[in-house]
């Protein structure tokens, strides 16, 4: 089982990567909920982990939207402009 990325690790990724991870996490959550409803879910803790991962991704995207923390692509553009 892969470990969940931290918010700091997510901040180092581009917006496209984050949107892709968000889509994957939502699909996984859907599948886990489906398994739970049919009684096939083995690891109940995974539901909680995936929900938290989705919340982290939304938080990082919102930070970028508000200008609190720049995403990786913004940081790279800033460095290039300084040179």
């Amino acid at each position: 089982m892969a470990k969940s990325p931290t918010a700091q690790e997510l901040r180092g990724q581009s917006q496209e990567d984050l949107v892709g991870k968000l889509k994957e996490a939502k699909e996984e959550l859907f599948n886990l909920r489906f398994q739970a409803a049919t009684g096939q879910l083995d690891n109940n803790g995974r539901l909680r982990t995936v929900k938290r991962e989705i919340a982290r991704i939304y938080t990082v995207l919102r930070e970028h939207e508000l200008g609190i923390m720049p995403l990786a692509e913004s940081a790279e553009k800033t460095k290039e402009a300084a040179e």
Side-chain angles (χ1 to χ4, degrees):
M1 177 166 45
K3 92 175 176 91
S4 224
T6 64
Q8 196 63 32
E9 292 169 348
L10 291 172
R11 286 184 187 109
Q13 297 180 359
S14 69
Q15 188 163 3
E16 294 81 23
D17 290 340
L18 289 174
V19 171
K21 282 187 179 286
L22 181 62
K23 183 179 177 192
E24 290 173 13
K26 283 186 170 189
E27 287 174 9
E28 183 178 358
L29 182 61
F30 174 80
N31 291 332
L32 289 171
R33 284 182 173 160
F34 194 86
Q35 288 175 2
T38 59
Q40 298 174 352
L41 184 62
D42 295 330
N43 184 0
N44 291 329
R46 186 68 184 142
L47 275 168
R48 182 179 185 184
T49 304
V50 173
K51 286 181 187 177
R52 286 182 176 194
E53 185 177 332
I54 291 170
R56 277 190 197 103
I57 294 169
Y58 274 130
T59 300
V60 172
L61 287 171
R62 183 68 176 153
E63 285 175 348
H64 176 67
E65 185 179 314
L66 296 174
I68 296 170
M69 295 291 268
L71 286 172
E73 60 191 23
S74 299
E76 290 172 8
K77 289 178 184 176
T78 306
K79 287 179 185 177
E80 290 173 3
E83 294 174 354

